[in-house]
Amino acid sequence: MGEDPGADHAGAVGADIFTRLHGKLVVNVMAGVRIDELRRTLATNAQVVRAIPLPTVRERRSVTVTCPSHPAVNAFFEHLGGALPVEDEAAFDVFSALTGTLTTHYSYLVTLASWAAEHGIAADDADSYVRSLFQGVGRSLSDGTRSLQQLAADHETPKGNNERIRTTWFGPANSEALRKALDGLLADLR
């Protein structure tokens, strides 16, 4: 039997990576790849910092979670919208789970616009209006002096439309279902 010609190459590549990474800093933006796992894969003891850059980082409007805190990495992400350093991967995993809700939010908006279209509103008008509604909500989120609960209360009139949808659709059962989904994702991330 012949030898695997890739075996020596893989070892050489590993040694080359080890040599190149010696004394370097590696920023890991791969979801679900833990620091120790990446070090093993790269066969290095290089310093590794995990980060969660989101698409809005390209607009310099996104806070990026980093772990562990590192001055150079934090400074880099500060220029791209902000850095939120956490000291351990357990906390990092919680933030990672939160990012798993983004497309759910967009799917919610799609459902709103398609519902309006099903009720006779032109699809483009429904899309435009839903975008406008939630762009306004997005802008209100930049007011860090008001809690998320206060912002919600600001948009809700007692016995009004918002209260009705919140209490009939997103009541305790839906809130608990969301918590369970996040707990399941967090368990998988760990």
Side-chain angles (χ1 to χ4, degrees):
M1 289 186 96
E3 292 183 37
D4 177 3
D8 288 334
H9 181 68
V13 169
D16 184 51
I17 290 173
F18 181 80
T19 301
R20 288 180 186 213
L21 293 179
H22 182 72
K24 303 284 185 185
L25 172 65
V26 176
V27 179
N28 173 13
V29 297
M30 295 179 287
V33 179
R34 303 184 82 68
I35 292 170
D36 288 341
E37 179 183 351
L38 185 59
R39 281 191 183 125
R40 277 192 308 276
T41 300
L42 297 177
T44 184
N45 285 325
Q47 191 170 12
V48 176
V49 176
R50 292 179 74 185
I52 309 173
L54 299 173
T56 52
V57 77
R58 69 179 172 257
E59 300 165 5
R60 297 183 175 180
R61 296 187 314 153
S62 178
V63 171
T64 300
V65 177
T66 61
C67 173
S69 182
H70 187 281
V73 176
N74 296 342
F76 175 76
F77 285 113
E78 280 297 333
H79 291 292
L80 298 175
L84 177 59
V86 297
E87 292 307 317
D88 59 51
E89 288 185 291
F92 186 88
D93 290 342
V94 171
F95 286 103
S96 186
L98 289 174
T99 67
T101 65
L102 293 174
T103 59
T104 301
H105 178 74
Y106 285 115
S107 294
Y108 169 73
L109 301 180
V110 167
T111 301
L112 294 176
S114 65
W115 176 87
E118 290 166 8
H119 286 81
I121 305 300
D124 287 348
D125 289 345
D127 183 273
S128 177
Y129 187 69
V130 168
R131 286 173 184 266
S132 176
L133 280 175
F134 287 89
Q135 285 171 351
V137 169
R139 282 190 295 278
S140 70
L141 290 172
S142 66
D143 181 358
T145 65
R146 304 178 73 72
S147 71
L148 292 175
Q149 244 175 343
Q150 183 59 49
L151 289 172
D154 290 348
H155 286 86
E156 190 171 277
T157 304
K159 300 198 186 309
N161 295 345
N162 280 285
E163 182 182 88
R164 180 174 177 172
I165 295 300
R166 180 185 55 78
T167 58
T168 58
W169 177 69
F170 199 77
N174 271 356
S175 182
E176 184 57 27
L178 177 56
R179 290 174 187 277
K180 284 183 179 179
L182 287 167
D183 285 343
L185 177 55
L186 182 60
D188 288 346
L189 290 170
R190 292 185 171 162

